[in-house]
Amino acid sequence: QVQLAESGGGLVQAGGSLRLSCAASRRTFSLYGMGWFRQAPGLERESVAAISRSGANTYYADSVKGRFTISRDNAKNTLYLQMNSLKPEDTAVYFCARSSSSGATLTQYDYDYWGQGTQVTVSS
């Protein structure tokens, strides 16, 4: 069983920054692609960013390109999401997830383990 624990969420003003972290419980973290997703109240969960097992390949949703950066530290079993120039529409619960493959994908169905989420609130 893989456990994923997000942290780093909070309240920030528009234009500000936050860095989310996702700690994985298993050493096999480095074998799989990882992703970040978010869900705002009343909306469907959407993909944010994805990264391959080595970190060489990354993908972003159009809404966050140029503002968010996904990265990983396989030695620490940790995934990150650096969020800059935050907007009120970025307000959501953010989830990290582990892909069932080694590649990077924004397809949610490719992910088999999910964290509990961390709240990000951006005030205007």
Side-chain angles (χ1 to χ4, degrees), residues 60-111:
Y60 296 92
D62 288 343
S63 58
V64 306
K65 278 181 183 177
R67 300 188 299 121
F68 290 11
T69 302
I70 188 171
S71 63
R72 63 191 298 163
D73 185 336
N74 287 340
K76 296 182 177 179
N77 292 345
T78 304
L79 176 73
Y80 302 100
L81 184 68
Q82 178 66 43
M83 305 186 295
N84 298 328
S85 302
L86 283 160
K87 305 175 181 180
E89 50 264 43
D90 294 317
T91 295
V93 177
Y94 283 71
F95 301 89
C96 66
R98 194 197 80 170
S99 173
S100 57
S101 71
S102 62
T105 173
L106 291 175
T107 303
Q108 296 188 43
Y109 295 114
D110 289 340
Y111 289 81

Side-chain angles (χ1 to χ4, degrees), residues 21-82:
S21 298
C22 171
S25 62
R26 298 290 295 272
R27 294 180 183 178
T28 53
F29 173 81
S30 64
L31 300 181
Y32 297 92
M34 297 290 295
W36 286 100
F37 303 84
R38 68 186 182 185
Q39 186 168 21
L43 299 179
E44 297 283 327
R45 187 171 61 194
E46 63 176 354
S47 304
V48 175
I51 189 168
S52 60
R53 59 175 287 190
S54 67
N57 297 308
T58 57
Y59 295 107
Y60 296 92
D62 288 343
S63 58
V64 306
K65 278 181 183 177
R67 300 188 299 121
F68 290 11
T69 302
I70 188 171
S71 63
R72 63 191 298 163
D73 185 336
N74 287 340
K76 296 182 177 179
N77 292 345
T78 304
L79 176 73
Y80 302 100
L81 184 68
Q82 178 66 43

